[in-house]
Amino acid sequence: MDILSWQLGLPATLLCLAFGYLLGSIPFGLILTRIAGLGDVRKIGSGNIGATNVLRTGNRKLAAATLLLDALKGTAAAAIASYWGVEAGIAAGFAAFLGHLFPAWLSFKGGKGVATYIGVLLGLVPVMMLAFAAIWLAVARITRYSSLAALVATAIIPVVLYATGSEKVALLFAAMTVISWIKHRANIQRLLSGTESRIGEKG
C-alpha cells in the first residue's frame, strides 16, 4: 500500500497543485501564433493549442517552439517542486499536465498533452526520456503514425517506471496516460478506421 501513501501535507500539496496548474496552463501555442501574426490557432485544424495544430499554420519553427515550451513548462513544474520531495514533484507535474489540457482562461480547452507529459517525465525521471524517445521513434518509423507512436509510448512508460522501482511516479503516469488516451479518442477512432494521417501526409 506504500504506493498509495501520501506524506506531503495538504497546504504544501495544494500549493504545488496551484503552481503546476498555473505554469501548465500557459497557452504557448496560442501566444506564439498571435505574436507571429498568424491569428488564433484555435480556429484552424483541430482547434487545439498544441504543436501539432500550430504546425498546420505552415510554420515549422513555431510548431517546434510550441512543442519545446509545452514540454518545458511540465519539466519546470515537476523539477522545481521536486526540491521539496518526489510527492511535491508529482503533484506539480500532474497539475501542469492538467493545466495544459484544461486551461481555465481558454474555457478549459487546451492541447492533448503529449509534450507536457514528456516534459513532466524529464522533470521527474530524466533517464526515462530515452525510453520514451526510443519507443516513439520505433513505432513511428514502422507505422508512420505519430498519434499511434505517442499512444504506445505513453502506455509503456508507466510499466517501465513501475518495473524499475518508481512506483509512485508510475501511478502518476498511468493516470496521465489514461487522460491522454481519452483526449486522443478521435485519433484512436481514425486509427481503427484507417483514416488517420501518416507522418508526412497533409490534411
Side-chain angles (χ1 to χ4, degrees):
M1 296 300 290
D2 184 64
I3 189 174
L4 297 177
S5 66
W6 192 259
Q7 303 301 319
L8 190 66
L10 181 60
T13 298
L14 293 176
L15 182 61
C16 289
L17 290 172
F19 167 67
Y21 182 85
L22 290 173
L23 194 55
S25 63
I26 300 173
F28 285 115
L30 179 62
I31 293 171
L32 292 177
T33 50
R34 282 187 170 173
I35 291 176
L38 298 175
D40 191 337
V41 71
R42 295 171 296 174
K43 295 182 179 179
I44 66 172
S46 65
N48 287 320
I49 61 170
T52 299
N53 206 41
V54 172
L55 185 59
R56 293 189 174 99
T57 66
N59 192 318
R60 294 185 178 182
K61 291 182 179 179
L62 212 59
T66 300
L67 179 68
L68 179 62
L69 290 171
D70 281 348
L72 288 179
K73 64 188 182 183
T75 302
I80 292 173
S82 288
Y83 280 107
W84 289 273
V86 65
E87 290 181 346
I90 287 172
F94 184 57
F97 177 73
L98 293 180
H100 177 71
L101 268 60
F102 310 108
W105 5 91
L106 299 181
S107 301
F108 300 100
K109 185 178 181 180
K112 293 182 179 179
V114 175
T116 309
Y117 181 109
I118 296 170
V120 175
L121 185 62
L122 177 61
L124 292 176
V125 193
V127 70
M128 283 295 124
M129 275 290 299
L130 297 176
F132 189 102
I135 296 165
W136 192 96
L137 288 171
V139 176
R141 183 180 180 86
I142 293 169
T143 68
R144 291 180 53 232
Y145 284 124
S146 175
S147 58
L148 181 60
L151 290 167
V152 172
T154 55
I156 294 176
I157 284 299
V159 178
V160 176
L161 285 167
Y162 187 85
T164 53
S166 300
E167 290 92 352
K168 284 190 176 181
V169 179
L171 187 60
L172 163 69
F173 280 93
M176 290 168 60
T177 292
V178 170
I179 297 170
S180 183
W181 275 53
I182 292 172
K183 291 288 287 186
H184 279 82
R185 59 190 180 276
N187 301 86
I188 294 172
Q189 290 173 353
R190 290 194 295 269
L191 285 166
L192 293 173
S193 65
T195 58
E196 177 76 328
S197 296
R198 293 179 185 269
I199 296 172
E201 292 181 347
K202 295 182 178 180

